[in-house]
Amino acid sequence: MKPGHDPVRPETPTPAAAVGRDGISDALFRAVADSTYDWESWHEPGGRLIWVNSAVARHTGYTPVECLAMSDYPLRMVADQDRQRIAQAMEDAQRGASGNDLEFRSIHRDGQTRWMAVSWQPMRDDAGRRLGFRTSVRDITERNELREQLRLHTEHLEQLVQERTARIAQLERHRRQMEKLAALGQLAAGVAHEVNNPLAGIRNAFALIKGDLAPDHAHYDLLELIDGEIERISSIIHQMYQLYRRHPQPAQEFDIERTVAGIATLLDGVVRQQQVVLEIESIGPSVPVLLPEGEVKQILYNLIRNAVQASPANGVVTIHIDRTSDPVRVAVADQGAGIATDVLPRIFDPFFSTKGAEPKGGMGLGLSVSRSLIEAMGGAIEVESHVGRGSRFTAQFPARFGTPEEGPHD
């Protein structure tokens, strides 16, 4: 560099574009370049920086004089993870190649990181001689932030679409299940109606026969067995009626903890027979719920009885009542053998039972009826089971469903 010359504006060959047909001067051309918003620089064919505009200070915090003094310009102002890419771009520019919109991270003098995009192209005179190359760097931080926001928004939309699709598929499965349940319910109700009438006749006739025999009769034990089986048939018929209930019960206020205690009393015989311990625990205030009590009682009766029957001798069945939120949750946990993962999706199917080999295994309607009843009142049943560690059924009841049952009118 010659003494007396401005180090920011060294004496260099003037590009052909610097003097146009109207005789634009080199000084005016440099004034235009200095007023450019983007960070502009010119390099000689070997890559050495020979001019940089004042915009570099706004973008990097370094003045043009400081940049001209750098031996590694512009790598000092490039983030470590992008330095190799920019060094390669500078080598490409020295070979006469051009490039556009190469993104990189720039480190400002104050330590802030900004996203930039650099473009470069060779410069030649009218005779085609290489004069070097120029670079133009634009701050794209805001663009990248908007792009990142758009990406996150797109991911969120995709997640919503997936959730909605899964929900639609779930509703479709539920619709098919309800159609199946309705068809089976109609069949079950019809069969139950046809069986109930002759069963009532058998029960009445049997009561007369049993009444004529003394308890010390040789076959009196067989009468007790027959009486129990008639009662079992009656229970199955009742469940079949529940599978297709045409008239839901009215809602009334009651204490769900007291209902659970009443169910425990009803199941006392089964509990003692299975040699199981029944534990009831509850949290939250004793606030009455507004629900069809008979249906709630039937749902919880089925869940608790199943847990007792699934438990080994000396096992513990825990009933946990949580009234601190809406829905009210009643969880019934046993210490039985658990339910296999391939069987778990089918346990709510009508007439499906995991107790088929047992003498009194039932028809597999209990869970199906329970889910039908609880979903009709806006609730749900969740299941968690581990083979060898037991199962946990959680009934979620809305705190209030329907309107209170009105008393008789005058």
Side-chain angles (χ1 to χ4, degrees), residues 299-350:
I299 293 166
L300 295 178
Y301 179 89
N302 287 334
L303 296 182
I304 297 171
R305 182 187 61 183
N306 287 349
V308 170
Q309 293 177 343
S311 298
N314 302 317
V316 178
V317 172
T318 304
I319 306 171
H320 180 80
I321 307 169
D322 184 357
R323 294 169 298 193
T324 59
S325 62
D326 188 357
V328 176
R329 299 173 184 269
V330 181
V332 182
D334 63 62
Q335 299 174 338
I339 305 172
T341 54
D342 60 327
V343 174
L344 196 59
R346 302 177 56 199
I347 60 174
F348 291 101
D349 290 349

Side-chain angles (χ1 to χ4, degrees), residues 33-43 49 51-64 67 70 72-78 86 90 104-108 114-119 134-139:
D34 259 333
S35 301
T36 303
Y37 184 82
D38 293 340
W39 164 14
E40 301 279 345
S41 59
W42 298 347
H43 300 254
L49 177 67
W51 177 83
V52 61
N53 69 349
S54 57
V56 68
R58 184 177 67 255
H59 288 291
T60 69
Y62 294 94
T63 66
C67 291
M70 293 179 186
D72 58 349
Y73 175 92
L75 300 181
R76 185 180 303 183
M77 297 170 284
V78 178
I86 297 302
M90 296 293 289
F104 69 96
R105 279 153 289 193
S106 174
I107 306 300
H108 194 275
R114 306 285 293 178
W115 275 99
M116 304 288 182
V118 59
S119 301
R134 62 176 291 270
T135 64
S136 179
V137 183
R138 176 169 298 179
D139 189 329

Side-chain angles (χ1 to χ4, degrees), residues 239-257:
Q239 289 188 24
M240 293 175 72
Y241 271 126
Q242 291 295 329
L243 193 62
Y244 188 62
R245 176 182 291 276
R246 294 181 182 274
H247 304 289
Q249 297 179 2
Q252 58 187 17
E253 288 191 341
F254 63 95
D255 186 347
I256 200 165
E257 185 176 3

Side-chain angles (χ1 to χ4, degrees), residues 1 47 108 200 211 231 238 266 270 299 314 346 366 401:
M1 182 178 300
H108 194 275
E231 184 61 32
H238 177 70
L266 289 176
V270 180
I299 293 166
N314 302 317
R346 302 177 56 199
F401 176 76

Side-chain angles (χ1 to χ4, degrees), residues 15-17 95-96 122-132:
R95 289 195 295 266
M123 296 187 298
R124 301 180 183 275
D125 60 14
D126 291 339
R129 292 189 301 268
R130 289 181 57 194
L131 300 176

Side-chain angles (χ1 to χ4, degrees), residues 136-369:
S136 179
V137 183
R138 176 169 298 179
D139 189 329
I140 60 168
T141 302
E142 184 176 350
R143 185 181 78 181
N144 272 22
E145 289 175 351
L146 291 174
R147 185 167 60 189
E148 178 64 14
Q149 292 177 12
L150 180 60
R151 184 188 66 81
L152 294 175
H153 185 63
T154 301
E155 288 183 355
H156 180 62
L157 287 178
E158 290 176 351
Q159 181 180 358
L160 288 178
V161 170
Q162 291 176 357
E163 291 175 355
R164 296 295 188 272
T165 302
R167 178 59 178 163
I168 291 172
Q170 180 184 10
L171 291 174
E172 179 62 21
R173 289 194 299 269
H174 181 66
R175 183 189 65 80
R176 291 197 298 267
Q177 177 68 19
M178 294 303 294
E179 289 178 351
K180 177 182 177 182
L181 190 63
L184 289 172
Q186 293 184 32
L187 175 63
V191 172
H193 177 74
E194 294 299 324
V195 172
N196 193 55
N197 290 334
L199 181 64
I202 293 173
R203 171 174 282 177
N204 293 334
F206 177 75
L208 294 175
I209 296 174
K210 185 178 179 180
D212 290 339
L213 295 179
D216 58 353
H217 191 278
H219 300 299
Y220 195 84
D221 290 342
L222 295 178
L223 297 181
E224 291 291 338
L225 176 62
I226 295 172
D227 198 11
E229 292 303 308
I230 291 176
E231 184 61 32
R232 182 183 172 213
I233 295 172
S234 177
S235 175
I236 292 173
I237 290 174
H238 177 70
Q239 289 188 24
M240 293 175 72
Y241 271 126
Q242 291 295 329
L243 193 62
Y244 188 62
R245 176 182 291 276
R246 294 181 182 274
H247 304 289
Q249 297 179 2
Q252 58 187 17
E253 288 191 341
F254 63 95
D255 186 347
I256 200 165
E257 185 176 3
R258 184 175 301 175
T259 299
V260 171
I263 295 172
T265 302
L266 289 176
L267 289 171
D268 183 64
V270 180
V271 170
R272 285 188 284 105
Q273 182 180 4
Q274 295 287 123
Q275 301 179 21
V276 172
V277 177
L278 204 61
E279 295 182 352
I280 302 175
E281 55 188 34
S282 61
I283 60 174
S286 180
V287 179
V289 295
L290 179 63
L291 296 168
E293 184 179 8
E295 296 179 358
V296 172
K297 183 178 295 185
Q298 181 175 356
I299 293 166
L300 295 178
Y301 179 89
N302 287 334
L303 296 182
I304 297 171
R305 182 187 61 183
N306 287 349
V308 170
Q309 293 177 343
S311 298
N314 302 317
V316 178
V317 172
T318 304
I319 306 171
H320 180 80
I321 307 169
D322 184 357
R323 294 169 298 193
T324 59
S325 62
D326 188 357
V328 176
R329 299 173 184 269
V330 181
V332 182
D334 63 62
Q335 299 174 338
I339 305 172
T341 54
D342 60 327
V343 174
L344 196 59
R346 302 177 56 199
I347 60 174
F348 291 101
D349 290 349
F351 305 107
F352 178 82
S353 175
T354 58
K355 301 178 288 186
E358 300 179 12
K360 296 185 179 182
M363 292 185 63
L365 292 173
L367 286 178
S368 179
V369 170

